[in-house]
Amino acid sequence: MTTLERNPAAATGPDREQRLAYWAVADCWNITRRILTHYQRHPSAVVWQLGFPILSVLLYGYVFGSAMKVPGGGDYREFLMPGMFAMTMAMGFMNTAVAVVTDAAKGVVDRFRSMPMAPSAFVSGRGAADLAVAAAELTILAATALLIGWRADRGVPAALGAFGLLLLLRFSLIWVGVWLGMLVPTPEAAGGLYAVAFPVTMISSTFVAPSLMPGWLGTIAAWNPISSTATATRELFGNPVAGGGTWVEDHALLMALVWPLAITLVFLPLAVRRFQRLSR
């Protein structure tokens, strides 16, 4: 590699822009490959990440499932699974935050800052890798759901659309995780995020329809972005929906697109700005 090849400032005009774009993509891929290689060598990390949702499926589906009623009727496990998919995608932002703060604590971020790499590579590489891991998690969780009797009844195109919405939610929350990971001081402190994230994921339509909650709590749950994704995917999978007749529940598919886009517009610039400040 020559200095001219690596240093875009040495070029001018369109050639400089092409070099910037090329090295941004190449550096992003190197960061992504590093993270995926870590997961490949330590698959137990993915297993632990999936432990809670799989255990929740078994507990709520079989231990509490017989006592749960879906407003309007329908099998509770079919109502539960889209909620579990959405909750798993939502809680993934904590894994992102812990991974980012761990890299910072071990000096990995400082090492990247000392290297001649694109400033966007660390953030974009983390986002690409976490999205790939989320897709693998979703595949495993869907296989578990099929084993307990869950089915997608509206065909392959609708099911793919539902999985796309779930990954869109995960993609938006990656930037929340990156931003928080660069804010908290230690990996131990990042573990405290679970205390905040857990009630946020529970106060949603993941396990119970908001219409069955007390009025004020049901309103909060209905407007939770996780509820919009869960309800929209229930519609696309052809599973019981149990909508409460509110505007946000009647337009769940629209809100399942609006919420992730709004979160991305807010937190992606915050994450990039935070990393740039670390680089100074």
Side-chain angles (χ1 to χ4, degrees):
M1 176 189 317
T2 67
T3 302
L4 183 61
E5 288 173 335
R6 181 69 225 190
N7 182 14
T12 59
D15 186 51
R16 179 175 183 276
E17 298 300 325
Q18 290 177 359
R19 290 173 189 273
L20 282 171
Y22 171 80
W23 285 112
V25 173
D27 292 339
C28 171
W29 167 242
N30 286 330
I31 297 293
T32 302
R33 190 175 56 178
R34 167 189 170 269
I35 298 169
L36 295 180
T37 300
H38 174 79
Y39 278 110
Q40 184 180 6
R41 293 177 179 175
H42 302 280
S44 58
V46 176
V47 173
W48 279 111
Q49 288 173 202
L50 280 171
F52 177 75
I54 291 177
L55 184 62
S56 296
V57 168
L58 298 178
L59 280 175
Y60 281 88
Y62 288 100
V63 178
F64 303 123
S66 58
M68 297 287 191
K69 301 298 180 186
V70 181
D75 183 81
Y76 179 70
R77 281 198 289 272
E78 290 205 336
F79 173 83
L80 173 67
M81 283 316 307
M84 291 302 308
F85 293 151
M87 190 182 81
T88 302
M89 293 296 100
M91 294 190 72
F93 86 91
M94 292 180 296
N95 302 321
T96 301
V98 171
V100 170
V101 71
T102 300
D103 277 349
K106 291 182 177 179
V108 175
V109 175
D110 289 337
R111 184 176 181 184
F112 288 149
R113 287 163 52 189
S114 68
M115 299 171 66
M117 61 186 296
S120 62
F122 178 79
V123 175
S124 59
R126 168 57 63 182
D130 283 2
L131 194 62
V133 172
E137 291 176 346
L138 203 54
T139 301
I140 296 172
L141 196 59
T144 304
L146 290 171
L147 289 177
I148 67 169
W150 169 81
R151 295 292 183 269
D153 298 323
R154 293 189 61 184
V156 174
L160 291 177
F163 285 122
L165 288 179
L166 291 164
L167 290 175
L168 180 62
L169 177 67
R170 178 71 178 98
F171 175 80
S172 68
L173 293 174
I174 284 173
W175 312 117
V176 179
V178 172
W179 180 65
L180 289 174
M182 288 186 283
L183 279 182
V184 295
T186 63
E188 291 77 14
L193 294 173
Y194 285 89
V196 178
F198 185 69
V200 171
T201 56
M202 291 295 292
I203 303 175
S204 67
S205 66
T206 298
F207 301 106
V208 180
S211 59
L212 297 179
M213 302 178 187
W216 63 273
L217 193 62
T219 301
I220 295 174
W223 282 90
N224 189 328
I226 299 172
S227 296
S228 295
T229 298
T231 302
T233 52
R234 284 176 180 128
E235 292 175 356
L236 290 172
F237 285 136
N239 297 147
V241 174
T246 64
W247 184 91
V248 69
E249 290 173 304
D250 290 342
H251 297 81
L253 185 56
L254 171 66
M255 295 307 295
L257 295 170
V258 170
W259 279 124
L261 292 176
I263 294 171
T264 301
L265 287 175
V266 172
F267 285 96
L268 176 57
L270 287 176
V272 172
R273 186 177 303 174
R274 182 66 186 170
F275 182 76
Q276 289 173 338
R277 288 181 177 178
L278 290 177
S279 302
R280 291 175 182 172

